[in-house]
Amino acid sequence: MLESTFAVRPAVQGEAGVLHDLAALTFPLACPPSTSEAAKAAFIEQHLSREAFKSYLVDPQRLVLVAERPAGAGEAAAEPAELIGYAMLVHGEPSDLDVARAVQGRPTAELSKLYVHQAQHGGGIASELVEHALLAAAVHGAVSVWLGVNIYNARANRFYEKAGFEVVGRKGFLVGEVVEDDYVRERPLR
């Protein structure tokens, strides 16, 4: 069921566990069909664990944004707020040589992660997370934002193209022990 009411805000330190849970549900959706369950699990354990999110949330070069469905209204219908999507922005020079060669705008920031709960797809959540991330990158002084997206993820590639991210190169992306093929996409901010 699509929710039309949500808010985007920075994540807080106590949300590492819920971010891990959401990441474990959403990351596999972006993987090509050839990615093994073991590779997905290894990636989640290494990069999307509770401990990983704890470190992301205190890293001054990172900003984790969350899309949240507000808590229910009224005592009888009261439900806790629910995270339904998240994005991570990483400020700084790309460490991957293929990305560094491909990305033209400097200083730059990486839109490292952008995932929305499958039940919420099509509700404008991803677009809102991207807009908040772009604004945050500009405020931090970036003149471009880049991202990597699997070349076989047609849905994500259509979304990023519509959001103004153009293909500027390719890079490898390690999932488990398999190097996947990603497009490098960039969007200028000025």
Side-chain angles (χ1 to χ4, degrees), residues 11-47:
V12 296
Q13 285 186 9
E15 292 177 317
V18 71
L19 281 162
H20 159 72
D21 293 343
L22 182 58
L25 285 174
T26 57
F27 173 74
L29 302 174
C31 295
S34 61
T35 307
S36 73
E37 293 303 316
K40 292 174 198 175
F43 185 88
I44 291 167
E45 179 61 31
Q46 184 175 5
H47 300 285

Side-chain angles (χ1 to χ4, degrees), residues 5 12 14 19 33 37 44 49 69 76 81 86 93 100 120-121 128 140 146 153 164 170-172 185-188:
T5 304
V12 296
L19 281 162
E37 293 303 316
I44 291 167
S49 66
R69 186 182 68 178
Y86 75 99
E93 184 64 20
Q120 305 297 323
H121 285 184
E128 198 66 27
H140 196 267
W146 69 273
N153 189 335
R170 287 172 95 142
K171 71 176 192 74
R185 289 180 168 274
E186 181 181 18
R187 177 174 165 175

Side-chain angles (χ1 to χ4, degrees), residues 33-112:
S34 61
T35 307
S36 73
E37 293 303 316
K40 292 174 198 175
F43 185 88
I44 291 167
E45 179 61 31
Q46 184 175 5
H47 300 285
L48 303 173
S49 66
R50 284 171 180 77
E51 293 73 27
F53 275 106
K54 285 178 185 176
S55 71
Y56 298 152
L57 292 169
V58 297
D59 183 342
Q61 292 301 104
R62 295 177 189 261
L63 172 64
V64 179
L65 297 167
V66 294
E68 176 180 63
R69 186 182 68 178
E75 284 184 38
E79 295 177 16
E82 177 187 11
L83 297 189
I84 54 178
Y86 75 99
M88 185 186 315
L89 190 66
V90 182
H91 302 286
E93 184 64 20
S95 59
D96 182 292
L97 292 178
D98 291 329
V99 174
R101 284 190 287 267
V103 172
Q104 298 301 303
R106 297 292 196 289
T108 191
E110 177 189 8
L111 182 57
S112 171

Side-chain angles (χ1 to χ4, degrees), residues 109-132:
E110 177 189 8
L111 182 57
S112 171
K113 298 173 184 10
L114 176 65
Y115 296 102
V116 174
H117 192 288
Q118 187 173 17
Q120 305 297 323
H121 285 184
I125 297 163
S127 294
E128 198 66 27
L129 283 165
V130 166
E131 288 307 311
H132 278 77

